[in-house]
Amino acid sequence: RAKELGGRRVEVFATHMHADVVRRLEIATDLQRALHENQFAVEYQPVVDLATSRVTAVEALVRWWRGSTFVPPEQFLGAAEDTGIIVPLSEWILREACREVAAWRASSWDIGLSLNLSARQITAPRFVESVSEALAESGLPASALTLEVIEEMLVEDADDTITKLSELRALGVRLAIDDFGTGYASLAFLRQLPVDMIKIDPSFVSGLGRDETLTLLTRTIVRLGHDLGLIVVAEGIERPEQLELLREMGCTRGQGYLVARPMTARSVDSLMRTTLQNTA
Ligand code: C2E
Ligand code: MG
Ligand code: MG
Ligand code: MG
């Protein structure tokens, strides 16, 4: 790579750089190109009501196909955040997902959209405007949109973040805490920000029925969420036993490979047709 860039100085510099830094620089260049060449796609993972199995929402998940290689979000989101590419990328995901979910709703399918936010996206200058514009342009009602944040975004120097999320909530948008239970914030943020939903991290759900402590913790989080009047979603449901226990605990909603995998918009279309046929 350094040789390609030309010059011995570059090469020497590169060899002294941490391998990870070099990789990040390469990824930054690739990300810029990927955005221009439309290599990104959005997939949707259904969230279901655990009592009725009805699909209540879909969570938008970004996908990057670099040529024929799939790059998982966790391998490029950090670099996208560092380079600022996350801002235009998130803007694109927001518009795309609002448009697609609005179209499904127009076919009389009553579902909501969950979107993952990045820290940098929220603090970008036109964040609140870009969300309200995406809603207005797509016709998606604010109440059908849930924005997911993680606890870390709500702790240090989070005044700007909390102000902006509160503004959006005042417009009717819902807020969710993703990966609940894994962050540093514990429960402090629940006083700072009015949230509507918590999503229990898979690290708790994975232990259901197998690990006494994790089972107890999950039960406690479900009860806490309900006592606070929140919608509780369990993430990462893979085994029937987990589903049974969550139902028995009274957990409202669930998401995971056992229920449905993330799927393309086209597959969501078929899912919708089957669903609407069966409920007609
Ligand atoms: P997340 O928001 O907690 O999303 C859930 C992740 O768990 C997704 O991984 C999903 O594919 C995966 N998953 C769902 N059910 C199961 C299951 O039963 N078992 C297992 N093992 N995994 C399951 P994915 O798509 O790789 O996304 C990883 C993370 O990347 C997301 O975690 C989210 O934090 C972030 N992310 C994904 N899409 C976006 C996006 O559009 N914008 C932003 N800012 N972040 C995103
Ligand atoms: Mg999420
Ligand atoms: Mg999560
Ligand atoms: Mg996560």
Side-chain angles (χ1 to χ4, degrees):
R1 194 52 157 173
K3 269 186 193 143
E4 263 171 49
L5 294 171
R8 192 176 148 70
R9 204 178 299 211
V10 175
E11 192 177 350
V12 170
F13 176 52
T15 54
H16 286 280
M17 275 201 281
H18 195 282
D20 190 53
V21 175
V22 177
R23 214 177 53 89
R24 272 175 178 256
L25 280 177
E26 287 179 351
I27 250 188
T29 317
D30 287 359
L31 282 170
Q32 195 72 58
R33 185 181 312 126
L35 196 60
H36 286 296
E37 295 178 0
N38 304 314
Q39 291 174 14
F40 291 106
V42 181
E43 283 197 345
Y44 299 91
Q45 186 178 31
V47 180
V48 304
D49 180 308
L50 288 180
T52 62
S53 295
R54 187 182 81 82
V55 177
T56 56
V58 287
E59 176 175 2
L61 296 163
V62 66
R63 297 294 178 246
W64 181 18
W65 284 95
R66 188 208 244 151
S68 53
T69 316
F70 173 70
V71 189
E74 262 136 14
Q75 275 178 34
F76 68 84
L77 284 174
E81 185 98 11
D82 292 349
T83 53
I85 292 168
I86 194 75
V87 177
L89 175 60
S90 302
E91 174 91 27
W92 176 78
I93 297 164
L94 168 72
R95 283 170 191 274
E96 180 81 357
C98 285
R99 187 179 59 74
E100 287 186 314
V101 173
W104 291 320
R105 290 174 57 89
S107 307
S108 309
W109 197 23
D110 183 20
I111 56 161
L113 166 65
S114 248
L115 265 186
N116 294 289
L117 298 183
S118 95
R120 187 142 176 193
Q121 174 187 13
I122 304 173
T123 49
R126 296 192 69 263
F127 170 63
V128 175
E129 290 82 352
S130 73
V131 174
S132 35
E133 280 168 19
L135 291 173
E137 279 165 27
S138 63
L140 188 75
S143 61
L145 177 65
T146 300
L147 300 176
E148 301 187 5
V149 294
I150 57 169
E151 293 163 52
E152 282 72 9
M153 297 178 192
L154 306 174
V155 277
E156 287 159 44
D157 301 319
D159 291 356
D160 181 46
T161 298
I162 291 169
T163 305
K164 287 176 168 175
L165 292 175
S166 304
E167 275 173 48
L168 285 169
R169 193 168 186 272
L171 298 177
V173 169
R174 323 268 175 182
L175 302 178
I177 307 291
D178 202 357
D179 303 350
F180 186 87
T182 59
Y184 311 108
S186 65
L187 304 171
F189 60 81
L190 291 172
R191 286 187 299 146
Q192 301 199 43
L193 183 74
V195 302
D196 304 277
M197 179 189 287
I198 52 176
K199 300 187 77 170
I200 308 175
D201 193 74
S203 58
F204 297 96
V205 178
S206 66
L208 279 175
R210 287 183 177 172
D211 180 295
E212 247 180 82
T213 309
L214 290 173
T215 307
L216 179 69
L217 284 172
T218 306
R219 191 182 295 280
T220 307
I221 296 173
V222 170
R223 188 173 305 143
L224 169 88
H226 287 164
D227 287 351
L228 292 170
L230 306 175
I231 294 171
V232 182
V233 183
E235 279 198 283
I237 306 171
E238 295 182 347
R239 292 177 281 114
E241 181 191 23
Q242 295 168 306
L243 194 59
E244 281 317 301
L245 280 165
L246 287 162
R247 282 192 173 125
E248 180 252 309
M249 290 173 186
C251 183
T252 353
R253 295 183 193 173
Q255 198 176 351
Y257 293 168
L258 179 70
V259 180
R261 286 187 174 258
M263 54 181 91
T264 61
R266 192 187 284 257
S267 300
V268 180
D269 271 331
S270 334
L271 176 67
M272 173 181 75
R273 274 191 284 274
T274 323
T275 308
L276 292 178
Q277 243 159 40
N278 292 345
T279 53

